[in-house]
Amino acid sequence: MKKIAIVNRTNLKNYGSVLQVYALCEVVKNLGYDVEAIWETGNLSKNYDFRPNKIISTGCKLLTHPRLLKSTFSNIRYVQQHIISEQTIQMFDSFVDSHIKRTFYPAKMMKQCKVGRVYDKFICGSDQIWCTTTLYVDPLMYLRFAPKEKRVAYAPSLGRDYIPNYSKREMKKYIKDIPDVSVREYVGQKLIRELTGRDVPVVLDPTLLISCEEWDQIKKIHESKEEYIVCYFLNTPTEETQQKLLKFIKESRKIVIALNSRLEHVENEVTVLYPDCGPREFIGYISNAEYVLTDSYHGMLFSIIYHRQFWSIAREYGKFDQSSRQLSVLKMFGLNARYCRTQDIITEDTIDYETVQKRLDSEVEKSLNYLRRALEK
């Protein structure tokens, strides 16, 4: 049986990051391969990606591009805002240990291409592994350690709608050296065409390649006697947005399950619960929610998987426009009207999931065919 390596981090405490690695491993396994996630040893943090070579490279780039200091400190503050409970950390670690087969290799083995002889193919994907504004264009995420003919990129996200000059040279070289490249968003497709001259396909995020029945096998159900709304935000929404959420919640007369961020202006007037929540619990909460209100890409995807009524809320923080991720999927499934900008009102309009599911089934087939062909080469 051929052996496939999925190259990605599994220690980040982010639902989408962990679940898309799990999903890609499962999909490749279902195609008939032996598969495991691999990464480099030497991370200085249990919950974040702080490798020595990454820190050194980032420091050097800051010295040559001091104007990037402001955004770097902003990112550090964002990380510091999200101190999650020890129980939630344990839930993440337990899920990864139980559901994702992993192997770690010393950096020396990666750099000398020794690992390249262990596997038949290497897949980098998915999530924002090719974020264009990162200060460290990570060689691991572009499979630089692997033989060129064994490299496959499945659904990486570039995360932004432009590529800054300080990243263009490396990204162009790294992407051109991957024979099979696909992306997750139409904006990413456009950026790669402009950067390299290549036309690459847009494929589905791995989480969408697994049916709700398959996700049911690992989810953990929240036994609630009351109907609830899930509010999942990657950062604390502005007061204006919270007031908009509050109006909708009051009209629906449901309690709120809030994941990841506090809703201080909402909790003063309605019941808001802040549970410890790992990846299995995350799927469970969304699968039974009456509504999902989220600015998260994967919060939106799992709402679609489980045919939940949802609103994809525009992200109102950060320097960069990050709407392309949500808008690509919404456009693909004819759900553009579910994107809620600052001036929009959240209503109880329902989604026609019969039409959405037909489009999803068609896109799943296309994405699996791409992955199958890339691995069989």
PDB file of all heavy atoms in Angstrom, residues 299-328:
ATOM      1  N   GLY A 299     -16.638  27.501  10.796  1.00  0.00           N
ATOM      2  CA  GLY A 299     -17.951  27.570  11.428  1.00  0.00           C
ATOM      3  C   GLY A 299     -19.040  27.583  10.379  1.00  0.00           C
ATOM      4  O   GLY A 299     -20.088  26.937  10.523  1.00  0.00           O
ATOM      5  N   MET A 300     -18.783  28.300   9.286  1.00  0.00           N
ATOM      6  CA  MET A 300     -19.718  28.335   8.162  1.00  0.00           C
ATOM      7  C   MET A 300     -19.788  26.980   7.459  1.00  0.00           C
ATOM      8  O   MET A 300     -20.876  26.490   7.133  1.00  0.00           O
ATOM      9  CB  MET A 300     -19.273  29.415   7.174  1.00  0.00           C
ATOM     10  CG  MET A 300     -20.113  29.528   5.922  1.00  0.00           C
ATOM     11  SD  MET A 300     -19.411  30.736   4.761  1.00  0.00           S
ATOM     12  CE  MET A 300     -17.889  29.884   4.266  1.00  0.00           C
ATOM     13  N   LEU A 301     -18.638  26.335   7.242  1.00  0.00           N
ATOM     14  CA  LEU A 301     -18.618  25.057   6.520  1.00  0.00           C
ATOM     15  C   LEU A 301     -19.387  23.972   7.266  1.00  0.00           C
ATOM     16  O   LEU A 301     -20.155  23.213   6.662  1.00  0.00           O
ATOM     17  CB  LEU A 301     -17.177  24.589   6.285  1.00  0.00           C
ATOM     18  CG  LEU A 301     -16.304  25.448   5.370  1.00  0.00           C
ATOM     19  CD1 LEU A 301     -15.053  24.668   4.962  1.00  0.00           C
ATOM     20  CD2 LEU A 301     -17.048  25.910   4.137  1.00  0.00           C
ATOM     21  N   PHE A 302     -19.189  23.880   8.582  1.00  0.00           N
ATOM     22  CA  PHE A 302     -19.901  22.851   9.327  1.00  0.00           C
ATOM     23  C   PHE A 302     -21.398  23.152   9.421  1.00  0.00           C
ATOM     24  O   PHE A 302     -22.215  22.233   9.522  1.00  0.00           O
ATOM     25  CB  PHE A 302     -19.283  22.656  10.712  1.00  0.00           C
ATOM     26  CG  PHE A 302     -18.098  21.730  10.678  1.00  0.00           C
ATOM     27  CD1 PHE A 302     -16.816  22.225  10.562  1.00  0.00           C
ATOM     28  CD2 PHE A 302     -18.273  20.354  10.730  1.00  0.00           C
ATOM     29  CE1 PHE A 302     -15.726  21.372  10.490  1.00  0.00           C
ATOM     30  CE2 PHE A 302     -17.200  19.486  10.669  1.00  0.00           C
ATOM     31  CZ  PHE A 302     -15.916  19.989  10.546  1.00  0.00           C
ATOM     32  N   SER A 303     -21.765  24.416   9.340  1.00  0.00           N
ATOM     33  CA  SER A 303     -23.183  24.768   9.261  1.00  0.00           C
ATOM     34  C   SER A 303     -23.770  24.224   7.967  1.00  0.00           C
ATOM     35  O   SER A 303     -24.896  23.696   7.947  1.00  0.00           O
ATOM     36  CB  SER A 303     -23.361  26.285   9.323  1.00  0.00           C
ATOM     37  OG  SER A 303     -22.852  26.820  10.523  1.00  0.00           O
ATOM     38  N   ILE A 304     -23.024  24.336   6.875  1.00  0.00           N
ATOM     39  CA  ILE A 304     -23.480  23.815   5.578  1.00  0.00           C
ATOM     40  C   ILE A 304     -23.540  22.295   5.605  1.00  0.00           C
ATOM     41  O   ILE A 304     -24.510  21.683   5.129  1.00  0.00           O
ATOM     42  CB  ILE A 304     -22.558  24.322   4.450  1.00  0.00           C
ATOM     43  CG1 ILE A 304     -22.700  25.836   4.292  1.00  0.00           C
ATOM     44  CG2 ILE A 304     -22.876  23.609   3.136  1.00  0.00           C
ATOM     45  CD1 ILE A 304     -21.695  26.463   3.344  1.00  0.00           C
ATOM     46  N   ILE A 305     -22.520  21.654   6.149  1.00  0.00           N
ATOM     47  CA  ILE A 305     -22.492  20.191   6.228  1.00  0.00           C
ATOM     48  C   ILE A 305     -23.739  19.664   6.933  1.00  0.00           C
ATOM     49  O   ILE A 305     -24.345  18.674   6.507  1.00  0.00           O
ATOM     50  CB  ILE A 305     -21.218  19.726   6.959  1.00  0.00           C
ATOM     51  CG1 ILE A 305     -19.978  19.982   6.092  1.00  0.00           C
ATOM     52  CG2 ILE A 305     -21.311  18.241   7.334  1.00  0.00           C
ATOM     53  CD1 ILE A 305     -18.662  19.819   6.833  1.00  0.00           C
ATOM     54  N   TYR A 306     -24.132  20.328   8.025  1.00  0.00           N
ATOM     55  CA  TYR A 306     -25.267  19.872   8.827  1.00  0.00           C
ATOM     56  C   TYR A 306     -26.579  20.578   8.493  1.00  0.00           C
ATOM     57  O   TYR A 306     -27.548  20.464   9.234  1.00  0.00           O
ATOM     58  CB  TYR A 306     -24.941  20.016  10.317  1.00  0.00           C
ATOM     59  CG  TYR A 306     -24.113  18.861  10.827  1.00  0.00           C
ATOM     60  CD1 TYR A 306     -22.740  18.993  10.996  1.00  0.00           C
ATOM     61  CD2 TYR A 306     -24.702  17.635  11.115  1.00  0.00           C
ATOM     62  CE1 TYR A 306     -21.969  17.920  11.446  1.00  0.00           C
ATOM     63  CE2 TYR A 306     -23.943  16.565  11.565  1.00  0.00           C
ATOM     64  CZ  TYR A 306     -22.588  16.709  11.725  1.00  0.00           C
ATOM     65  OH  TYR A 306     -21.828  15.651  12.171  1.00  0.00           O
ATOM     66  N   HIS A 307     -26.580  21.323   7.371  1.00  0.00           N
ATOM     67  CA  HIS A 307     -27.808  21.991   6.916  1.00  0.00           C
ATOM     68  C   HIS A 307     -28.406  22.883   8.005  1.00  0.00           C
ATOM     69  O   HIS A 307     -29.622  22.938   8.194  1.00  0.00           O
ATOM     70  CB  HIS A 307     -28.850  20.969   6.453  1.00  0.00           C
ATOM     71  CG  HIS A 307     -28.475  20.243   5.198  1.00  0.00           C
ATOM     72  ND1 HIS A 307     -29.365  19.456   4.491  1.00  0.00           N
ATOM     73  CD2 HIS A 307     -27.297  20.188   4.511  1.00  0.00           C
ATOM     74  CE1 HIS A 307     -28.753  18.946   3.427  1.00  0.00           C
ATOM     75  NE2 HIS A 307     -27.504  19.370   3.416  1.00  0.00           N
ATOM     76  N   ARG A 308     -27.540  23.605   8.701  1.00  0.00           N
ATOM     77  CA  ARG A 308     -28.008  24.549   9.725  1.00  0.00           C
ATOM     78  C   ARG A 308     -28.310  25.904   9.092  1.00  0.00           C
ATOM     79  O   ARG A 308     -27.654  26.312   8.114  1.00  0.00           O
ATOM     80  CB  ARG A 308     -26.936  24.744  10.808  1.00  0.00           C
ATOM     81  CG  ARG A 308     -26.564  23.498  11.602  1.00  0.00           C
ATOM     82  CD  ARG A 308     -27.703  22.968  12.421  1.00  0.00           C
ATOM     83  NE  ARG A 308     -28.522  22.010  11.672  1.00  0.00           N
ATOM     84  CZ  ARG A 308     -29.695  21.578  12.063  1.00  0.00           C
ATOM     85  NH1 ARG A 308     -30.250  22.007  13.180  1.00  0.00           N
ATOM     86  NH2 ARG A 308     -30.364  20.697  11.333  1.00  0.00           N
ATOM     87  N   GLN A 309     -29.245  26.608   9.661  1.00  0.00           N
ATOM     88  CA  GLN A 309     -29.464  27.992   9.274  1.00  0.00           C
ATOM     89  C   GLN A 309     -28.322  28.829   9.856  1.00  0.00           C
ATOM     90  O   GLN A 309     -28.023  28.715  11.041  1.00  0.00           O
ATOM     91  CB  GLN A 309     -30.811  28.492   9.786  1.00  0.00           C
ATOM     92  CG  GLN A 309     -32.005  27.667   9.313  1.00  0.00           C
ATOM     93  CD  GLN A 309     -32.124  27.612   7.799  1.00  0.00           C
ATOM     94  OE1 GLN A 309     -31.890  28.606   7.103  1.00  0.00           O
ATOM     95  NE2 GLN A 309     -32.481  26.443   7.285  1.00  0.00           N
ATOM     96  N   PHE A 310     -27.670  29.634   9.025  1.00  0.00           N
ATOM     97  CA  PHE A 310     -26.504  30.374   9.516  1.00  0.00           C
ATOM     98  C   PHE A 310     -26.407  31.735   8.842  1.00  0.00           C
ATOM     99  O   PHE A 310     -26.997  31.982   7.793  1.00  0.00           O
ATOM    100  CB  PHE A 310     -25.216  29.578   9.252  1.00  0.00           C
ATOM    101  CG  PHE A 310     -24.785  29.593   7.798  1.00  0.00           C
ATOM    102  CD1 PHE A 310     -23.922  30.568   7.319  1.00  0.00           C
ATOM    103  CD2 PHE A 310     -25.261  28.628   6.910  1.00  0.00           C
ATOM    104  CE1 PHE A 310     -23.541  30.579   5.978  1.00  0.00           C
ATOM    105  CE2 PHE A 310     -24.891  28.639   5.576  1.00  0.00           C
ATOM    106  CZ  PHE A 310     -24.020  29.615   5.104  1.00  0.00           C
ATOM    107  N   TRP A 311     -25.625  32.594   9.491  1.00  0.00           N
ATOM    108  CA  TRP A 311     -25.196  33.858   8.886  1.00  0.00           C
ATOM    109  C   TRP A 311     -23.678  33.942   9.009  1.00  0.00           C
ATOM    110  O   TRP A 311     -23.116  33.735  10.084  1.00  0.00           O
ATOM    111  CB  TRP A 311     -25.848  35.053   9.573  1.00  0.00           C
ATOM    112  CG  TRP A 311     -27.282  35.221   9.171  1.00  0.00           C
ATOM    113  CD1 TRP A 311     -28.379  34.750   9.826  1.00  0.00           C
ATOM    114  CD2 TRP A 311     -27.767  35.878   8.003  1.00  0.00           C
ATOM    115  NE1 TRP A 311     -29.534  35.074   9.148  1.00  0.00           N
ATOM    116  CE2 TRP A 311     -29.186  35.769   8.017  1.00  0.00           C
ATOM    117  CE3 TRP A 311     -27.158  36.542   6.949  1.00  0.00           C
ATOM    118  CZ2 TRP A 311     -29.989  36.310   7.019  1.00  0.00           C
ATOM    119  CZ3 TRP A 311     -27.964  37.083   5.942  1.00  0.00           C
ATOM    120  CH2 TRP A 311     -29.358  36.963   5.989  1.00  0.00           C
ATOM    121  N   SER A 312     -23.027  34.218   7.888  1.00  0.00           N
ATOM    122  CA  SER A 312     -21.585  34.427   7.879  1.00  0.00           C
ATOM    123  C   SER A 312     -21.328  35.914   8.078  1.00  0.00           C
ATOM    124  O   SER A 312     -21.623  36.732   7.205  1.00  0.00           O
ATOM    125  CB  SER A 312     -20.987  33.955   6.550  1.00  0.00           C
ATOM    126  OG  SER A 312     -19.596  34.167   6.511  1.00  0.00           O
ATOM    127  N   ILE A 313     -20.815  36.262   9.245  1.00  0.00           N
ATOM    128  CA  ILE A 313     -20.656  37.673   9.626  1.00  0.00           C
ATOM    129  C   ILE A 313     -19.306  38.197   9.148  1.00  0.00           C
ATOM    130  O   ILE A 313     -18.268  37.552   9.342  1.00  0.00           O
ATOM    131  CB  ILE A 313     -20.748  37.834  11.160  1.00  0.00           C
ATOM    132  CG1 ILE A 313     -21.983  37.094  11.711  1.00  0.00           C
ATOM    133  CG2 ILE A 313     -20.771  39.304  11.540  1.00  0.00           C
ATOM    134  CD1 ILE A 313     -23.302  37.628  11.254  1.00  0.00           C
ATOM    135  N   ALA A 314     -19.311  39.364   8.544  1.00  0.00           N
ATOM    136  CA  ALA A 314     -18.060  39.976   8.079  1.00  0.00           C
ATOM    137  C   ALA A 314     -17.126  40.218   9.256  1.00  0.00           C
ATOM    138  O   ALA A 314     -17.553  40.689  10.315  1.00  0.00           O
ATOM    139  CB  ALA A 314     -18.359  41.292   7.362  1.00  0.00           C
ATOM    140  N   ARG A 315     -15.850  39.883   9.068  1.00  0.00           N
ATOM    141  CA  ARG A 315     -14.865  40.104  10.124  1.00  0.00           C
ATOM    142  C   ARG A 315     -14.505  41.589  10.160  1.00  0.00           C
ATOM    143  O   ARG A 315     -14.177  42.184   9.138  1.00  0.00           O
ATOM    144  CB  ARG A 315     -13.627  39.251   9.886  1.00  0.00           C
ATOM    145  CG  ARG A 315     -13.944  37.770   9.931  1.00  0.00           C
ATOM    146  CD  ARG A 315     -12.723  36.909   9.667  1.00  0.00           C
ATOM    147  NE  ARG A 315     -11.792  36.994  10.774  1.00  0.00           N
ATOM    148  CZ  ARG A 315     -10.657  36.305  10.810  1.00  0.00           C
ATOM    149  NH1 ARG A 315     -10.322  35.520   9.820  1.00  0.00           N
ATOM    150  NH2 ARG A 315      -9.855  36.405  11.848  1.00  0.00           N
ATOM    151  N   GLU A 316     -14.539  42.163  11.351  1.00  0.00           N
ATOM    152  CA  GLU A 316     -14.410  43.617  11.486  1.00  0.00           C
ATOM    153  C   GLU A 316     -13.095  44.044  12.139  1.00  0.00           C
ATOM    154  O   GLU A 316     -12.953  45.169  12.569  1.00  0.00           O
ATOM    155  CB  GLU A 316     -15.565  44.148  12.343  1.00  0.00           C
ATOM    156  CG  GLU A 316     -16.917  43.805  11.785  1.00  0.00           C
ATOM    157  CD  GLU A 316     -18.019  44.092  12.781  1.00  0.00           C
ATOM    158  OE1 GLU A 316     -17.932  43.607  13.912  1.00  0.00           O
ATOM    159  OE2 GLU A 316     -18.949  44.821  12.415  1.00  0.00           O
ATOM    160  N   TYR A 317     -12.166  43.140  12.208  1.00  0.00           N
ATOM    161  CA  TYR A 317     -10.918  43.475  12.875  1.00  0.00           C
ATOM    162  C   TYR A 317      -9.755  43.037  11.999  1.00  0.00           C
ATOM    163  O   TYR A 317      -9.900  42.275  11.057  1.00  0.00           O
ATOM    164  CB  TYR A 317     -10.838  42.772  14.238  1.00  0.00           C
ATOM    165  CG  TYR A 317     -11.120  41.288  14.144  1.00  0.00           C
ATOM    166  CD1 TYR A 317     -10.115  40.379  13.883  1.00  0.00           C
ATOM    167  CD2 TYR A 317     -12.415  40.805  14.289  1.00  0.00           C
ATOM    168  CE1 TYR A 317     -10.375  39.035  13.770  1.00  0.00           C
ATOM    169  CE2 TYR A 317     -12.687  39.454  14.175  1.00  0.00           C
ATOM    170  CZ  TYR A 317     -11.653  38.573  13.922  1.00  0.00           C
ATOM    171  OH  TYR A 317     -11.922  37.241  13.809  1.00  0.00           O
ATOM    172  N   GLY A 318      -8.598  43.534  12.329  1.00  0.00           N
ATOM    173  CA  GLY A 318      -7.412  43.177  11.556  1.00  0.00           C
ATOM    174  C   GLY A 318      -7.210  44.142  10.400  1.00  0.00           C
ATOM    175  O   GLY A 318      -8.125  44.821   9.927  1.00  0.00           O
ATOM    176  N   LYS A 319      -6.009  44.154   9.907  1.00  0.00           N
ATOM    177  CA  LYS A 319      -5.615  45.082   8.856  1.00  0.00           C
ATOM    178  C   LYS A 319      -6.073  44.624   7.474  1.00  0.00           C
ATOM    179  O   LYS A 319      -6.270  45.419   6.573  1.00  0.00           O
ATOM    180  CB  LYS A 319      -4.084  45.222   8.887  1.00  0.00           C
ATOM    181  CG  LYS A 319      -3.488  46.124   7.832  1.00  0.00           C
ATOM    182  CD  LYS A 319      -1.974  46.150   7.959  1.00  0.00           C
ATOM    183  CE  LYS A 319      -1.336  46.993   6.857  1.00  0.00           C
ATOM    184  NZ  LYS A 319       0.147  46.967   6.943  1.00  0.00           N
ATOM    185  N   PHE A 320      -6.236  43.311   7.301  1.00  0.00           N
ATOM    186  CA  PHE A 320      -6.440  42.758   5.972  1.00  0.00           C
ATOM    187  C   PHE A 320      -7.873  42.283   5.765  1.00  0.00           C
ATOM    188  O   PHE A 320      -8.509  41.768   6.677  1.00  0.00           O
ATOM    189  CB  PHE A 320      -5.482  41.578   5.744  1.00  0.00           C
ATOM    190  CG  PHE A 320      -4.047  41.904   6.038  1.00  0.00           C
ATOM    191  CD1 PHE A 320      -3.445  41.441   7.201  1.00  0.00           C
ATOM    192  CD2 PHE A 320      -3.302  42.671   5.164  1.00  0.00           C
ATOM    193  CE1 PHE A 320      -2.134  41.736   7.485  1.00  0.00           C
ATOM    194  CE2 PHE A 320      -1.981  42.970   5.437  1.00  0.00           C
ATOM    195  CZ  PHE A 320      -1.391  42.510   6.604  1.00  0.00           C
ATOM    196  N   ASP A 321      -8.349  42.434   4.527  1.00  0.00           N
ATOM    197  CA  ASP A 321      -9.661  41.909   4.148  1.00  0.00           C
ATOM    198  C   ASP A 321      -9.552  40.389   4.048  1.00  0.00           C
ATOM    199  O   ASP A 321      -8.758  39.868   3.277  1.00  0.00           O
ATOM    200  CB  ASP A 321     -10.083  42.507   2.811  1.00  0.00           C
ATOM    201  CG  ASP A 321     -11.446  42.009   2.366  1.00  0.00           C
ATOM    202  OD1 ASP A 321     -12.114  41.314   3.154  1.00  0.00           O
ATOM    203  OD2 ASP A 321     -11.837  42.316   1.216  1.00  0.00           O
ATOM    204  N   GLN A 322     -10.342  39.676   4.842  1.00  0.00           N
ATOM    205  CA  GLN A 322     -10.282  38.217   4.847  1.00  0.00           C
ATOM    206  C   GLN A 322     -11.601  37.602   4.381  1.00  0.00           C
ATOM    207  O   GLN A 322     -11.902  36.447   4.670  1.00  0.00           O
ATOM    208  CB  GLN A 322      -9.935  37.725   6.248  1.00  0.00           C
ATOM    209  CG  GLN A 322      -8.600  38.270   6.752  1.00  0.00           C
ATOM    210  CD  GLN A 322      -8.221  37.698   8.100  1.00  0.00           C
ATOM    211  OE1 GLN A 322      -8.247  36.494   8.305  1.00  0.00           O
ATOM    212  NE2 GLN A 322      -7.870  38.562   9.023  1.00  0.00           N
ATOM    213  N   SER A 323     -12.378  38.367   3.633  1.00  0.00           N
ATOM    214  CA  SER A 323     -13.710  37.908   3.230  1.00  0.00           C
ATOM    215  C   SER A 323     -13.681  36.880   2.108  1.00  0.00           C
ATOM    216  O   SER A 323     -14.671  36.179   1.888  1.00  0.00           O
ATOM    217  CB  SER A 323     -14.558  39.104   2.795  1.00  0.00           C
ATOM    218  OG  SER A 323     -13.993  39.733   1.654  1.00  0.00           O
ATOM    219  N   SER A 324     -12.564  36.761   1.378  1.00  0.00           N
ATOM    220  CA  SER A 324     -12.539  35.903   0.190  1.00  0.00           C
ATOM    221  C   SER A 324     -12.829  34.452   0.534  1.00  0.00           C
ATOM    222  O   SER A 324     -13.423  33.719  -0.263  1.00  0.00           O
ATOM    223  CB  SER A 324     -11.180  36.003  -0.517  1.00  0.00           C
ATOM    224  OG  SER A 324     -10.132  35.506   0.294  1.00  0.00           O
ATOM    225  N   ARG A 325     -12.420  34.020   1.721  1.00  0.00           N
ATOM    226  CA  ARG A 325     -12.660  32.629   2.110  1.00  0.00           C
ATOM    227  C   ARG A 325     -14.154  32.328   2.179  1.00  0.00           C
ATOM    228  O   ARG A 325     -14.644  31.342   1.621  1.00  0.00           O
ATOM    229  CB  ARG A 325     -12.009  32.341   3.466  1.00  0.00           C
ATOM    230  CG  ARG A 325     -10.512  32.159   3.390  1.00  0.00           C
ATOM    231  CD  ARG A 325      -9.902  32.156   4.773  1.00  0.00           C
ATOM    232  NE  ARG A 325      -9.862  33.497   5.336  1.00  0.00           N
ATOM    233  CZ  ARG A 325      -9.586  33.761   6.602  1.00  0.00           C
ATOM    234  NH1 ARG A 325      -9.380  32.782   7.444  1.00  0.00           N
ATOM    235  NH2 ARG A 325      -9.516  34.988   7.037  1.00  0.00           N
ATOM    236  N   GLN A 326     -14.878  33.168   2.905  1.00  0.00           N
ATOM    237  CA  GLN A 326     -16.314  32.951   3.020  1.00  0.00           C
ATOM    238  C   GLN A 326     -17.024  33.152   1.682  1.00  0.00           C
ATOM    239  O   GLN A 326     -17.869  32.350   1.285  1.00  0.00           O
ATOM    240  CB  GLN A 326     -16.924  33.903   4.058  1.00  0.00           C
ATOM    241  CG  GLN A 326     -16.580  33.553   5.500  1.00  0.00           C
ATOM    242  CD  GLN A 326     -15.393  34.357   5.987  1.00  0.00           C
ATOM    243  OE1 GLN A 326     -14.424  34.573   5.264  1.00  0.00           O
ATOM    244  NE2 GLN A 326     -15.461  34.804   7.224  1.00  0.00           N
ATOM    245  N   LEU A 327     -16.666  34.221   0.985  1.00  0.00           N
ATOM    246  CA  LEU A 327     -17.380  34.575  -0.235  1.00  0.00           C
ATOM    247  C   LEU A 327     -17.194  33.537  -1.334  1.00  0.00           C
ATOM    248  O   LEU A 327     -18.113  33.303  -2.132  1.00  0.00           O
ATOM    249  CB  LEU A 327     -16.920  35.955  -0.720  1.00  0.00           C
ATOM    250  CG  LEU A 327     -17.315  37.125   0.195  1.00  0.00           C
ATOM    251  CD1 LEU A 327     -16.706  38.429  -0.304  1.00  0.00           C
ATOM    252  CD2 LEU A 327     -18.834  37.264   0.288  1.00  0.00           C
ATOM    253  N   SER A 328     -16.042  32.885  -1.400  1.00  0.00           N
ATOM    254  CA  SER A 328     -15.815  31.846  -2.414  1.00  0.00           C
ATOM    255  C   SER A 328     -16.793  30.698  -2.240  1.00  0.00           C
ATOM    256  O   SER A 328     -17.417  30.227  -3.202  1.00  0.00           O
ATOM    257  CB  SER A 328     -14.376  31.318  -2.335  1.00  0.00           C
ATOM    258  OG  SER A 328     -13.465  32.221  -2.889  1.00  0.00           O
TER     259      SER A 328
END
